[in-house]
Amino acid sequence: MSTEIIKDIVCPQCGETQKYRLYTSVNAQQNPELKQSILDETLFDWRCQRCSYFAAMAYPFVYLDNQAGYVVCVTPGGAGSAVEATEPLKGYVRRRVKNLAELKEKILIFDSGLDDLAVELMKNALCTIIRRSYGNARLHAYFSKAEGEKMDFAIFVPRQLEPVYHSTRVEVYKQSQEVLRTLDYTDPEGFATVDARLAKRMIEEYQNA
């Protein structure tokens, strides 16, 4: 069951004290409406009822999907220890992310039945290929969806509010899986951080093998 805490929040703009519902855990099966709020990237939203000041809150919590068999700890900024889940985690894929956008991506990846590290390898390759088109800017890619023989990614470019979407073949995903098999990669104990940094390290290990 999803758990929540009611806390008093003082609006930094007008000073009004209001109640805020803070979720310490979200269960995908028992609270599908909260899962949808995560996918809409609105779960952390807060707006002052007096002056309409808006803020995106950030706090640690756990997202659990019993049916798909994964659990994700959100630790804003990457600081602090993993939040303890209340249900047995044996056999679950366990991940740690820094924010709601990364959590949303993990949900989309795992709900599509994909390996998130293989997806990270794809993102690394995709950004390397298209970076020159954007003046070698630092790009951020997020998995969007898998459809047929294509996988779509949202590419965020500095100083552009809206992402640019790029597609790549599922065959590239299969090649990424083969890289991981060659390296005999296995998840570490506990909550693993599977991100662009890990993907870069895996690629370097593969190239040096």
Side-chain angles (χ1 to χ4, degrees):
M1 180 179 295
S2 299
T3 55
E4 61 186 62
I5 299 173
I6 303 300
K7 299 196 71 172
D8 288 328
I9 299 294
V10 178
C11 176
Q13 181 165 282
C14 70
E16 180 81 2
T17 300
Q18 297 167 43
K19 301 294 183 183
Y20 176 72
R21 181 178 285 105
L22 180 152
Y23 294 97
T24 59
S25 66
V26 171
N27 186 299
Q29 279 70 51
Q30 297 178 10
N31 294 92
E33 75 285 358
L34 296 182
K35 175 180 179 178
Q36 190 58 50
S37 293
I38 293 171
L39 296 177
D40 293 338
E41 297 186 45
T42 60
L43 185 67
F44 288 162
D45 288 359
W46 175 80
R47 187 174 297 278
C48 177
Q49 299 175 5
R50 180 180 180 186
C51 70
S52 296
Y53 176 84
F54 173 82
M57 310 296 284
Y59 53 85
F61 82 104
V62 170
Y63 177 86
L64 181 67
D65 191 317
N66 298 108
Q67 184 173 314
Y70 67 93
V71 57
V72 183
C73 283
V74 180
T75 54
S81 59
V83 180
E84 293 293 335
T86 58
E87 300 187 38
L89 298 179
K90 185 177 181 180
Y92 280 59
V93 174
R94 287 165 284 181
R95 293 292 183 262
R96 183 203 301 262
V97 299
K98 299 190 298 294
N99 53 51
L100 197 56
E102 291 183 2
L103 171 60
K104 174 183 176 179
E105 181 183 43
K106 293 299 181 188
I107 293 172
L108 293 175
I109 290 172
F110 292 140
D111 283 4
S112 297
L114 301 173
D115 181 305
D116 58 336
L117 184 50
V119 172
E120 288 293 340
L121 295 182
M122 292 182 68
K123 287 162 56 177
N124 180 285
L126 181 61
C127 287
T128 299
I129 293 171
I130 68 176
R131 187 171 286 117
R132 291 183 180 179
S133 301
Y134 298 98
N136 290 317
R138 185 179 180 183
L139 308 178
H140 294 279
Y142 289 91
F143 172 78
S144 178
K145 64 180 178 179
E147 195 171 57
E149 292 300 311
K150 295 194 308 180
M151 294 174 65
D152 294 341
F153 295 86
I155 311 297
F156 287 84
V157 183
R159 296 181 295 279
Q160 290 189 22
L161 295 179
E162 296 298 322
V164 179
Y165 289 90
H166 286 265
S167 296
T168 188
R169 296 175 292 109
V170 171
E171 182 62 31
V172 179
Y173 172 76
K174 295 177 181 177
Q175 293 169 358
S176 297
Q177 287 182 302
E178 185 58 35
V179 169
L180 296 178
R181 280 192 290 268
T182 300
L183 294 173
D184 197 25
Y185 176 83
T186 56
D187 275 349
E189 292 294 325
F191 287 85
T193 299
V194 175
D195 57 8
R197 182 177 299 180
L198 177 59
K200 182 179 179 180
R201 180 163 63 84
M202 292 294 100
I203 291 172
E204 290 174 350
E205 288 185 15
Y206 181 73
Q207 291 173 340
N208 294 329

